Amino acid sequence: MPAPGFEEAPAEFVTEESSVELWSPAAQQLHEIPSLDGEWIAAKPLREQSLLRLMLTHDAIRSALSDGPVVEVRASADGRLDCLVPFAAAMEVNANDSKEAQRAIRSLKNDISMLFLHNALQYLTETRQFLGLCFSKLAIGGVLVISVPHQFLYERKLRLPSRRNRFHRRFYTSNVLLADVEEAIDPSEFRVRFLGESDAGYPYREGLGGSPGGGQDILLAVERLERPPWRGDMDNDEIWTGTPTKPPRFLPLDRKAPTQIRIIAPDPLAAKRIILVKLDHRGDFMMATQAFQTLRTGFETAHLTLVCGSWNAAEAERSGYFDEVIPFDFFAEDDSARTEMPPRAALIAEFGKRMAGKPYDLAIDLRLYDDTRELLQKIEARNRAGFDRYDAFPWLTIRLNTPSASDDDRGETGVIPANVFHASTATGHKAYEIAFEEPFTPAGQQTLIWGPYQQLKPGRYQLECLIDPLGDEFDLAFDIVKDHGTVTIAAGLLPVRRKARPIIDLMVVETIPEFELRLFGRAAVPVKPFRFRGLRYTRPGVFRGVHQSEAMVLLAHLVQMRMHDAFTTELV
């Protein structure tokens, strides 16, 4: 008999007919369904003993086990055949097909007391939508219990791939697991009831070559709460702030570029059919809610279509803002799963086929970054709207400029080592440094070091020259050039000092395929001994005055104003 308070939960109580693949009959025959008592626990390997005992120490998990029904989920790539909880209904989900795995979870009945994901997440190609579906099957007060191998107990490795299981797609620490859950589930609808690490009996002194026993898992339990009545007001109560960054004083003017003349004329046609493109991930999609509401209110009678990632389609339909939702996966839902995606050109071509024969009055891309703007040109529309931070999309009829410190708003830093630079008369050119160990005086201007012929993306850069004097301090001439030295971007003197390395501030407006830094010796000016170890570059992140959620709302209002007092434009 089960332990007092625990009831068996047969599969038919928690699944819809036979729509879910349960354990095979052969697997079920490997064990009877005993009680969850000391004898059952003692029969398990040390790792599972540790996990079970940790589960039973917490009241929320014990209560969920006793209330029932309980479902234990495993991934198809896992070699286990038996359940950790003996009276749970067992389910296997396809580790290699996210849609198949989600279909299995959807077939579960609602109001489950406990859903136990037993070491399954690390096998799945997608986790966030899967976790959200699992959570939706719980009763109010039900508990989602998740166990995953600990990165530094089970994997004992800093980066993928796993040394113990080649099917693992991700590593977990407590922080990473909790972050996954917070990304997948509305934070107002759950509370963390337990988060702990199972390491009872773990042999910490065993070397990396072995397969240690004992506890080596992370256990997380979250309880489902009823959605609070104030949840809807939270979206209207956010005030975004950021650290201000001083913008550059001016951008260089390209005097060779032809002058563009824009002719503006009234547009007598109303916007009756509107399509929105919002292909971002879940968090970015949620931040567009206010913009969606603004557009729905501003165009009450228009037919409003949304194109979004398949993982956001259900939420979009529930919102009630759209007359039609078209799922299209331009990005991978979970980049950490390293899911293979078709080439960008193939995705753009596929999008064009999907949009063929569907005319619209207005097409809007709400993604802040530029990588989806090209899709608007695949839509047959009289007007196109989107963000245009560097005047790169003159074909947009409605544009909002939100400047940023870099082309994609993301910060970037790195080191270009000395081994990719060239040197003239250096006494030592090693993998990590170029050394001029003896003083000399050039007869004329002499290039001492040049390179690295690498790409610079648009953005504001700080270039730190890793150069140190080997004796007296001095100044060294430099320039930064492109197009094989025919165009000079910056030039001056580098102060070669002991306690401070020289920094060059640089604003790059458009991509430079191969930039070149050159250090010179000048005629009759002694070059003191020095060593050069490369170039450290920093491209700061965003400095916009508004958060992206505010930027999307501003674009929505701009579109509403322009279309209600519409005009057409023609570029000459």
Side-chain angles (χ1 to χ4, degrees):
M1 293 293 293
F6 296 108
E7 303 295 337
E8 294 183 6
E12 60 265 28
F13 293 164
V14 294
T15 60
E16 301 286 358
E17 305 297 337
S18 58
S19 58
V20 184
E21 180 186 354
L22 300 175
W23 304 117
S24 64
Q28 295 182 32
Q29 291 173 7
L30 288 180
H31 68 279
E32 298 176 355
I33 301 182
S35 60
L36 189 55
D37 56 15
E39 183 179 348
W40 168 259
I41 297 174
K44 292 290 181 184
L46 289 178
R47 178 183 176 187
E48 295 191 344
Q49 286 186 37
S50 176
L51 184 59
L52 266 173
R53 290 194 171 100
L54 186 61
M55 290 172 63
L56 296 177
T57 59
H58 201 274
D59 292 340
I61 299 178
R62 290 187 63 89
S63 176
L65 285 167
S66 63
D67 290 343
V70 178
V71 181
E72 184 171 332
V73 178
R74 75 157 189 179
S76 58
D78 193 353
R80 291 181 300 109
L81 293 175
D82 59 344
C83 285
L84 192 64
V85 178
F87 44 82
M91 172 185 290
E92 180 178 284
V93 295
N94 192 329
N96 299 311
D97 190 328
S98 61
K99 293 182 179 178
E100 198 61 42
Q102 293 165 21
R103 189 177 298 115
I105 298 300
R106 287 192 183 96
S107 67
L108 291 173
K109 292 182 179 178
N110 297 324
D111 297 327
I112 294 172
S113 173
M114 173 174 153
L115 193 60
F116 179 28
L117 303 182
H118 184 193
N119 286 358
L121 290 186
Q122 71 272 16
Y123 292 106
L124 303 181
T125 58
E126 181 279 330
T127 59
R128 290 168 186 156
Q129 192 168 1
F130 181 81
L131 284 169
L133 284 171
C134 290
F135 187 78
S136 70
K137 293 298 178 179
L138 296 174
I140 300 299
V143 179
L144 177 63
V145 179
I146 306 168
S147 69
V148 291
H150 195 297
Q151 178 176 355
F152 299 107
L153 296 178
Y154 178 88
E155 306 289 0
R156 299 196 297 176
K157 201 166 183 286
L158 293 174
R159 298 178 182 85
L160 287 166
S162 169
R163 62 163 48 93
R164 296 182 62 185
N165 193 318
R166 64 187 179 89
F167 296 109
H168 286 191
R169 288 187 164 93
R170 55 184 65 80
F171 288 168
Y172 279 104
T173 62
S174 297
N175 181 57
V176 172
L177 177 58
L178 188 58
D180 259 13
V181 170
E182 291 178 341
E183 284 275 349
I185 306 171
D186 190 312
S188 69
E189 296 184 18
F190 78 89
R191 292 279 74 80
V192 175
R193 296 307 181 201
F194 182 78
L195 176 59
E197 299 181 355
S198 166
D199 68 342
Y202 186 80
Y204 279 96
R205 298 183 65 84
E206 183 167 333
L208 292 179
S211 297
Q216 46 199 278
D217 298 292
I218 303 167
L219 185 68
L220 172 65
V222 297
E223 179 182 347
R224 183 176 184 182
L225 308 179
E226 187 172 0
R227 186 181 178 91
W230 41 260
R231 175 61 184 89
D233 298 333
M234 287 177 58
D235 295 329
N236 302 322
D237 194 38
E238 296 296 331
I239 300 176
W240 299 94
T241 61
T243 303
T245 304
K246 185 178 179 180
R249 293 180 59 192
F250 60 88
L251 295 177
L253 178 64
D254 186 359
R255 300 184 181 278
K256 296 181 181 179
T259 303
Q260 294 181 338
I261 302 173
R262 190 176 298 276
I263 300 174
I264 301 176
D267 183 2
L269 302 178
K272 297 180 180 179
R273 286 176 54 81
I274 301 173
I275 184 169
L276 308 181
V277 178
K278 187 61 177 167
L279 297 170
D280 306 71
H281 297 87
R282 191 181 302 274
D284 296 311
F285 183 87
M286 291 176 63
M287 284 189 281
T289 301
Q290 188 64 41
F292 293 154
Q293 182 181 351
T294 300
L295 290 168
R296 179 72 281 176
T297 303
F299 300 94
E300 290 181 310
T301 60
H303 185 278
L304 203 57
T305 299
L306 174 72
V307 183
C308 64
S310 59
W311 50 87
N312 288 320
E315 182 64 25
E317 290 172 351
R318 283 195 298 267
S319 71
Y321 295 138
F322 310 103
D323 301 293
E324 181 184 7
V325 176
I326 301 175
F328 184 77
D329 293 346
F330 191 69
F331 305 105
E333 180 185 3
D334 185 359
D335 292 332
S336 66
R338 301 186 178 184
T339 306
E340 291 188 6
M341 294 290 291
R344 175 183 171 85
L347 289 168
I348 293 173
E350 175 61 23
F351 183 80
K353 293 178 182 178
R354 296 278 296 273
M355 294 294 105
K358 297 179 180 179
Y360 294 90
D361 299 304
L362 172 63
I364 308 170
D365 184 6
L366 281 176
R367 180 166 167 80
L368 189 63
Y369 307 133
D370 303 341
D371 47 6
T372 58
R373 211 73 75 243
E374 188 177 351
L375 295 176
L376 285 186
Q377 292 187 300
K378 300 296 180 181
I379 301 174
E380 182 183 347
R382 291 189 302 109
N383 295 282
R384 296 182 177 90
F387 297 100
D388 189 7
R389 296 170 296 165
Y390 295 98
D391 201 25
F393 308 105
W395 45 266
L396 289 174
T397 52
I398 302 174
R399 300 184 292 164
L400 181 61
N401 180 282
T402 55
S404 63
S406 64
D407 182 50
D408 52 7
D409 287 351
R410 297 177 176 90
E412 183 182 15
T413 186
V415 174
I416 304 174
N419 67 309
V420 299
F421 288 80
H422 303 275
S424 57
T425 60
T427 52
H429 190 168
K430 305 173 184 177
Y432 60 92
E433 71 174 23
I434 298 173
F436 288 78
E437 298 178 346
E438 299 293 333
F440 67 99
T441 301
Q445 180 164 294
Q446 179 182 350
T447 305
L448 306 178
I449 296 173
W450 65 96
Y453 304 109
Q454 294 186 6
Q455 184 188 82
L456 283 184
K457 295 184 289 187
R460 183 168 56 86
Y461 284 82
Q462 285 187 336
L463 304 178
E464 180 183 4
C465 192
L466 305 179
I467 187 170
D468 301 290
L470 296 178
D472 295 336
E473 298 178 341
F474 65 107
D475 294 336
L476 198 60
F478 84 95
D479 67 8
I480 296 177
V481 296
K482 66 175 182 176
D483 297 341
H484 307 288
T486 60
V487 178
T488 301
I489 302 172
L493 292 177
L494 285 182
V496 183
R497 304 290 186 265
R498 289 191 182 85
K499 295 183 179 181
R501 293 197 177 100
I503 293 177
I504 305 167
D505 289 311
L506 192 66
M507 183 66 189
V508 178
V509 181
E510 59 183 20
T511 300
I512 301 175
E514 293 182 345
F515 90 99
E516 182 182 6
L517 168 70
R518 302 187 297 192
L519 304 183
F520 298 98
R522 293 173 293 167
V525 178
V527 175
K528 307 291 181 62
F530 71 95
R531 66 177 180 179
F532 173 83
R533 291 188 292 174
L535 198 64
R536 178 181 288 114
Y537 63 90
T538 301
R539 187 173 65 132
V542 64
F543 76 93
R544 289 192 320 276
V546 295
H547 187 268
Q548 67 164 309
S549 59
E550 297 171 320
M552 288 185 285
V553 173
L554 289 173
L555 179 59
H557 281 293
L558 179 62
V559 167
Q560 181 181 345
M561 293 172 62
R562 292 278 180 87
M563 294 307 296
H564 284 179
D565 189 12
F567 57 84
T568 60
T569 63
E570 180 181 1
L571 194 65
V572 178

